[in-house]
Amino acid sequence: MQANLLLFMQGGIFIALLLAASVIDIKKRIIPDTICLFIAFTGLICFEPVKLFGVLAAMPILLAALVWGGLGGGDIKLMAASGIVLGFTGSIAAMVIGLTAMLLFYVFHAIVQRLRGRECPKAYPLAPFLSIGCIAIYFMNTGGITL
């Protein structure tokens, strides 16, 4: 009973913080460090030492930012902090889901914009899509589908 209450509390805080990061990223194109810090602290609610390796799951985003650019440090910190909650494999799966969601959105949006005769934006906020992946994996993990 106690563990379920802690998971419920952790999930509520985690989702609220991810939603806040998404809204701020959409409006201001920034993810505040305080939100990332609070997400990392959320991982301490149901702490498992092995989940600390989840921080390393942000490395692909860091490498992509260094090689190609276009990604902000907030996206890297968001995934590193989420890695403490989701663990390494969960964070990698969350990134795959989030980046796939972004790709599908971009393709659909680009088609609609071209049909309207408009230019497609060059950059999109990434936090909403990463948050979709993180929330999906959190529910999968707490529902018994562990990655």
Side-chain angles (χ1 to χ4, degrees), residues 34-55:
T34 52
I35 289 180
C36 295
L37 189 62
F38 286 134
I39 289 173
F41 285 142
T42 301
L44 301 177
I45 294 174
C46 296
F47 183 68
E48 296 175 32
V50 72
K51 288 192 175 181
L52 289 174
F53 288 110
V55 172

Side-chain angles (χ1 to χ4, degrees), residues 64-129:
L66 293 173
V67 173
W68 295 293
L71 293 166
D75 300 319
I76 299 164
K77 291 180 268 188
L78 179 69
M79 282 313 299
S82 296
I84 296 173
V85 177
L86 301 173
F88 182 77
T89 55
S91 294
I92 295 293
M95 278 194 300
V96 169
I97 291 170
L99 294 173
T100 301
M102 183 175 188
L103 177 65
L104 293 172
F105 173 82
Y106 177 78
V107 167
F108 179 76
H109 190 254
I111 291 169
V112 169
Q113 292 297 70
R114 289 188 206 240
L115 289 174
R116 291 181 173 175
R118 297 182 186 164
E119 190 77 20
C120 202
K122 299 288 182 201
Y124 293 92
L126 187 56
F129 300 102

Side-chain angles (χ1 to χ4, degrees), residues 2-14 45-46 138 142:
Q2 180 78 10
N4 288 339
L5 181 61
L6 288 175
L7 276 174
F8 182 75
M9 187 171 71
Q10 181 188 45
I13 295 168
F14 185 51
I45 294 174
C46 296
Y138 188 83
T142 56

Side-chain angles (χ1 to χ4, degrees), residues 120-139:
C120 202
K122 299 288 182 201
Y124 293 92
L126 187 56
F129 300 102
L130 293 175
S131 295
I132 289 169
C134 289
I135 292 168
I137 293 301
Y138 188 83
F139 280 122

